[in-house]
């Protein structure tokens, strides 16, 4: 394996959220068409990890090893929470603990996909018929996390798409709110090597959306809705001017969202590169017992896990 690292090989591998009851959460995400790809158990530390993603023949990275994918969801379950009546997840959208906003699934037929969720008894934060924006919906997972539903333009424009096929769904993006758009854009582009794919400016509502990703081949068709594994940064105008303003990173109490994860071609070389760029570290490779993962901090203090893409080593991470 080469001793250098190239950001063109990096992937936005997964987004981690904590869950109260893994059985209910796994059931929900499997209903959305995801497959359980791996379960890691840490009984001595009293937590388990569940990795889910799209794995059908129609999936963008179907069949790849766990760390050679984009658009996965990692569910973290701390043992006993499912039996704790007082345990509640912070979904990231309630003051004063806002930060993480949502994950997003893009689908072939948004009306049919939303109806299927409603028929199964799942709740919505926003149905298609609510409000002015009739082209997006927000479903609620069992813990109250928001899951945006959008249509894939390349499929919705296709003739004959009248029902919904979960094998065509994609884990499109993860949204986090950022205090200073320019600082965050610089970090995700210059440090993590992402490309700014689309900017949506809404001056009337005083916010901008920035969509970033790693590759021009993360999905078929035109536009960001046809891709997987994107990061959406939401910037509300003026927050950068308030020194006292900060977003909740999800890891201080009350907890919820934990981190995003980028897989790299050479873990040691990537971390050495980050060191040379003077990143803020949550955990270096040499810290603690787990020597195969590191965590850097973005400008808002969100955790970004760095792991090895096994395709470049031929060895299992765990």
């Amino acid at each position: 394996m080469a001793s250098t690292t190239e950001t063109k090989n990096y992937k936005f591998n997964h987004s981690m959220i904590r869950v109260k009851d893994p059985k209910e959460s796994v059931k929900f995400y499997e209903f959305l068409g995801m497959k359980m790809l791996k379960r890691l158990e840490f009984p001595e530390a009293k937590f388990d990890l569940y990795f889910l993603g799209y794995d059908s023949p129609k999936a963008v990275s179907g069949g790849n090893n766990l760390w050679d994918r984009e658009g996965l969801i990692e569910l973290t379950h701390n043992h006993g929470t499912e039996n704790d009546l007082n345990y509640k997840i912070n979904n990231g959208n309630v003051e004063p603990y806002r930060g993480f906003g949502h994950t997003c699934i893009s689908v072939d037929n948004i009306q049919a996909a939303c109806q299927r969720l409603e028929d199964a008894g799942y709740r919505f934060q926003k149905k298609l018929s609510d409000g002015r924006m009739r082209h997006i919906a927000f479903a609620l997972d069992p813990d109250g996390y928001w899951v945006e539903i959008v249509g894939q333009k390349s499929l919705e424009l296709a003739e004959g798409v009248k029902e919904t096929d979960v094998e065509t769904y994609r884990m499109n993006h993860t949204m986090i709110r950022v205090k200073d758009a320019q600082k965050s854009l610089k970090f995700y582009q210059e440090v993590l090597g992402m490309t700014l794919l689309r900017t949506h400016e809404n001056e009337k509502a005083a916010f901008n959306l920035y969509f970033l990703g790693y590759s021009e081949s993360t999905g078929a068709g035109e536009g960001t809705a046809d891709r997987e594994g994107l990061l959406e940064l939401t910037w509300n105008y003026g927050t950068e001017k308030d020194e006292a303003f900060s977003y909740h990173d999800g890891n201080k109490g009350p907890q919820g969202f934990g981190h995003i994860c980028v897989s790299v071609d050479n873990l040691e070389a990537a971390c050495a590169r980050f060191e040379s760029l003077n990143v803020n570290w949550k955990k270096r490779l040499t810290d603690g017992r787990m020597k195969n993962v590191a965590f850097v901090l973005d400008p808002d203090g969100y955790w970004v896990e760095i792991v090895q893409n096994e395709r470049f080593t031929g060895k299992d991470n765990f």
Side-chain angles (χ1 to χ4, degrees):
M1 187 175 70
S3 59
T4 57
T5 184
E6 296 188 43
T7 57
K8 69 179 183 180
N9 295 322
Y10 293 10
K11 295 193 172 189
F12 178 11
N13 181 248
H14 71 255
S15 301
M16 184 277 266
I17 56 175
R18 297 173 178 88
V19 299
K20 178 182 175 80
D21 187 335
K23 290 183 180 178
E24 291 301 316
S25 296
V26 168
K27 180 182 176 182
F28 172 82
Y29 289 102
E30 287 183 338
F31 187 77
L32 284 178
M34 292 186 178
K35 178 183 176 182
M36 172 93 72
L37 301 172
K38 197 176 192 72
R39 176 178 175 180
L40 296 175
E41 301 179 11
F42 299 90
E44 70 287 349
K46 298 183 179 180
F47 72 88
D48 297 334
L49 308 177
Y50 302 78
F51 293 88
L52 295 102
Y54 289 104
D55 198 45
S56 78
K58 299 176 184 177
V60 179
S61 53
N64 290 11
N65 79 62
L66 186 71
W67 310 106
D68 192 30
R69 295 171 180 259
E70 296 195 293
L72 303 183
I73 290 182
E74 175 190 354
L75 308 179
T76 293
H77 172 234
N78 294 297
H79 297 178
T81 55
E82 69 277 20
N83 299 317
D84 183 351
L85 296 178
N86 296 317
Y87 183 82
K88 186 179 179 182
I89 290 293
N90 165 31
N91 73 2
N93 291 301
V94 179
E95 294 288 6
Y97 307 116
R98 293 202 313 159
F100 166 76
H102 60 259
T103 55
C104 175
I105 306 297
S106 64
V107 302
D108 52 356
N109 181 318
I110 192 168
Q111 287 82 11
C114 289
Q115 190 61 53
R116 178 175 174 270
L117 277 163
E118 191 170 352
D119 291 345
Y122 288 113
R123 298 176 300 134
F124 281 76
Q125 176 67 26
K126 177 199 176 300
K127 294 183 179 180
L128 286 175
S129 57
D130 297 337
R132 290 178 297 174
M133 300 180 71
R134 301 302 174 97
H135 61 289
I136 61 172
F138 284 87
L140 293 172
D141 90 343
D143 286 292
Y145 290 113
W146 296 11
V147 180
E148 185 178 11
I149 312 293
V150 299
Q152 294 174 30
K153 290 182 175 60
S154 63
L155 291 178
E156 287 205 321
L157 295 175
E159 294 184 10
V161 180
K162 297 178 181 178
E163 298 180 351
T164 188
D165 176 5
V166 296
E167 290 194 353
T168 66
Y169 291 12
R170 292 189 175 139
M171 199 337 229
N172 177 249
H173 70 254
T174 294
M175 186 277 266
I176 55 175
R177 298 174 178 91
V178 299
K179 174 177 179 172
D180 188 320
Q182 295 310 309
K183 286 183 179 179
S184 295
L185 286 169
K186 182 177 182 180
F187 173 82
Y188 284 104
Q189 290 177 100
E190 297 182 11
V191 177
L192 289 183
M194 291 184 177
T195 298
L196 179 61
L197 301 170
R198 181 168 73 89
T199 299
H200 173 74
E201 298 182 357
N202 193 331
E203 293 184 8
K204 192 173 182 179
F207 71 86
N208 288 359
L209 308 177
Y210 304 92
F211 293 86
L212 300 103
Y214 273 112
S215 166
E216 291 300 318
S217 60
T218 48
E222 297 294 328
T224 53
D226 294 330
R227 298 173 180 267
E228 72 172 10
L230 302 183
L231 180 67
E232 176 188 356
L233 306 180
T234 294
W235 170 56
N236 292 293
Y237 297 177
T239 52
E240 77 283 4
K241 299 174 183 177
D242 183 353
E243 290 186 9
F245 184 88
S246 65
Y247 284 115
H248 192 275
D249 67 5
N251 292 301
K252 305 179 187 73
Q255 293 183 322
F257 165 77
H259 61 259
I260 60 173
C261 174
V262 171
S263 66
V264 300
D265 50 5
N266 183 311
L267 184 57
E268 290 77 14
C271 287
R273 175 179 171 272
F274 294 143
E275 190 77 57
S276 73
L277 293 172
N278 297 313
V279 301
N280 291 318
W281 293 93
K282 179 64 183 179
K283 177 198 176 301
R284 289 180 167 87
L285 283 177
T286 52
D287 297 338
R289 289 180 298 172
M290 296 183 72
K291 307 298 184 182
N292 58 348
V293 297
F295 286 87
V296 299
L297 297 173
D298 89 343
D300 285 282
Y302 294 116
W303 298 12
V304 182
E305 184 180 18
I306 311 298
V307 298
Q308 176 67 51
N309 184 336
E310 295 173 346
R311 175 164 61 88
F312 293 90
T313 61
K315 300 177 181 178
D316 292 340
N317 289 338
F318 297 94

